[in-house]
Amino acid sequence: MNTPEEVYAHYEDLFKKLFGAAFKKDVLNFIATILRFDGMFIGHWDPLEEAKDSFRDFPTILEEAQGNGNRKQEIKISLLMYCHSIEMTEVQNVLANLLRVLSGKPFKMRPLWNEEFMKKRKKSKEIFFQPPGLTSKFKQLKKMASDAGENNLTDALNEIFNSDLRNSFSHSDYCIDLKKEKYRFREGGPGRELDLSYVEEVMVKAFAFYDAFFTVWEASLHQITGLPHYLKTTDYDILELLVENGRLYGFALHHSDDTKSVFERHPESVNCQNFFFTDEGFGIAMGDTAKFRKGWYLEGEEVIDFKKLNEDRPLAKINSKDAS
C-alpha cells in the first residue's frame, strides 16, 4: 500500500476533478449540490458540518489511543471511526448529486431514494420509515459513478467499503487476534477472518477518502466566489451568488416579473423561499406567469450589459448584510 500521504493525494485529485467537472457541466445544480439545497429550518440543521467536525476530532482521539501503546484499543477506536465515517449520509448525498449533474440530471434532495424505494415510501402512511441501507446506497453510488464514466470513484468506493467489516464491528460480532494478526467475525454466515493488515489498509484509505472529500467540498464553497456576482441563465432568470467572508452561503434567482426565489444556509437557520421540490429535482414557485417577460430584470430594471452590472456590483464587496 502507498503511504497515507500518497493515498490522500490520490483521493484529493479525484475529488478536485469530480467537483470541477460537475461545476463545468451545470453551475446552478452544482451550487445546489455543494450547499445541499433543502427546505426551511430554524436552528442548527447542517449534518454535513457536524460530520466534518466529528471527523476532524478523530485524529486527536486516535493519538490518545496510540499513546497508550495498546494496539487492540487503537484498532477498535479506528474501526469505530471507520463505521461512523462510511455512514455519513450527507457525504453520500453530495457524491450522488455530483454524479447526477455529470449525467445531465438535476439536483435531487434525496438522490439515493431510488424509484423502487419511492414506490414503497408512497404506499406507506407512516411518518417514520427506514431509509435505504448502507450497502444499497454504496451499490447505487457505484452504479451512478460507472454510468457517469467516473470509474476512479467506483474504484475508490470499492477500496473503502467492506460490508462484512462494517456489519460485524457495528454488531459487536468480532474478535481481534493480535498473535495471528487476524480479525474474525461470524455476522451473516459461518466464521470467517480477515488479515489485520487488510483491515488497517481499508481504514487508512477510508480516512484519507473522507478527509480529502471535506477539504475539496469546503474549498469549492470558497472557490466558486471567483465567479461574477450575477450570472445570466437561459430562461430569463438572473442567478445571484450570496457570499459572506469569501464563502458561498446561498443563491437567489431573480425572475423577469421582479420576484425572486432564495436559498440561504446559515449556521442557525436555513431559508428557502419560492422553491418546491419534486422526486427528480426542484422547481420555482412562479406565481402569475403572465407577468414574466422575455428579458433579464433586476430590481425593476432590464439588464442588458451583465459585464457592467458585475463591475458596478462586484461579488467581492457583497456580504450577507447587504446582499439583495
Side-chain angles (χ1 to χ4, degrees), residues 110-306:
R110 303 290 182 263
L112 294 172
W113 288 12
N114 58 19
E115 184 178 352
E116 180 182 353
F117 175 79
M118 288 304 295
K119 286 180 180 179
K120 295 179 181 178
R121 174 77 184 96
K122 289 178 178 179
K123 289 181 180 179
S124 174
K125 296 181 180 179
E126 296 292 330
I127 296 176
F128 302 102
F129 57 94
Q130 183 177 350
L134 185 62
T135 300
S136 172
K137 290 192 287 186
F138 264 82
K139 183 178 179 180
Q140 286 189 68
L141 280 172
K142 286 186 279 189
K143 184 179 186 307
M144 293 171 75
S146 178
D147 291 346
E150 294 294 330
N151 294 323
N152 286 337
L153 179 59
T154 304
D155 293 340
L157 294 170
N158 283 326
E159 291 170 352
I160 69 167
F161 181 56
N162 183 297
S163 60
D164 288 335
L165 187 60
R166 174 257 186 182
N167 291 339
S168 61
F169 185 79
S170 296
H171 297 165
S172 295
D173 186 27
Y174 69 94
C175 290
I176 297 173
D177 186 338
L178 294 180
K179 290 182 179 180
K180 299 291 185 179
E181 289 288 315
K182 298 294 182 182
Y183 174 92
R184 298 195 175 97
F185 61 98
R186 297 180 300 176
E187 179 70 18
R192 285 159 288 166
E193 62 184 20
L194 298 170
D195 291 337
L196 281 180
S197 60
Y198 166 76
V199 172
E200 291 171 333
E201 179 180 342
V202 170
M203 293 190 294
V204 166
K205 289 182 176 179
F207 297 153
F209 180 95
Y210 287 95
D211 194 10
F213 170 87
F214 283 120
T215 298
V216 176
W217 165 69
E218 181 67 33
S220 70
L221 292 168
H222 291 273
Q223 291 169 351
I224 202 165
T225 62
L227 291 176
H229 183 191
Y230 297 97
L231 299 171
K232 183 179 182 180
T233 72
T234 57
D235 52 2
Y236 301 112
D237 285 331
I238 296 176
L239 172 61
E240 178 186 6
L241 303 184
L242 304 180
V243 173
E244 183 177 27
N245 298 323
R247 188 179 193 269
L248 184 74
Y249 72 88
F251 67 95
L253 283 174
H254 296 267
H255 312 306
S256 62
D257 65 343
D258 299 326
T259 63
K260 66 179 179 180
S261 302
V262 181
F263 177 77
E264 300 173 335
R265 182 176 288 281
H266 301 286
E268 295 301 328
S269 65
V270 179
N271 177 34
C272 184
Q273 298 180 16
N274 295 331
F275 287 106
F276 63 89
F277 297 93
T278 68
D279 287 351
E280 282 297 317
F282 63 91
I284 299 166
M286 293 184 174
D288 187 355
T289 57
K291 295 181 180 181
F292 278 71
R293 296 166 281 191
K294 290 187 176 180
W296 292 267
Y297 288 81
L298 181 67
E299 298 171 1
E301 298 291 331
E302 185 174 11
V303 178
I304 304 297
D305 190 342
F306 273 79

Side-chain angles (χ1 to χ4, degrees), residues 13-23 25 95-96 98-103 141-158 209:
D13 183 61
L14 185 157
F15 285 127
K16 284 180 178 179
K17 291 178 180 177
L18 183 67
F19 277 70
F23 165 74
K25 183 79 172 183
L95 291 177
L98 289 173
L99 294 170
R100 283 178 61 86
V101 172
L102 288 175
S103 298
L141 280 172
K142 286 186 279 189
K143 184 179 186 307
M144 293 171 75
S146 178
D147 291 346
E150 294 294 330
N151 294 323
N152 286 337
L153 179 59
T154 304
D155 293 340
L157 294 170
N158 283 326
F209 180 95

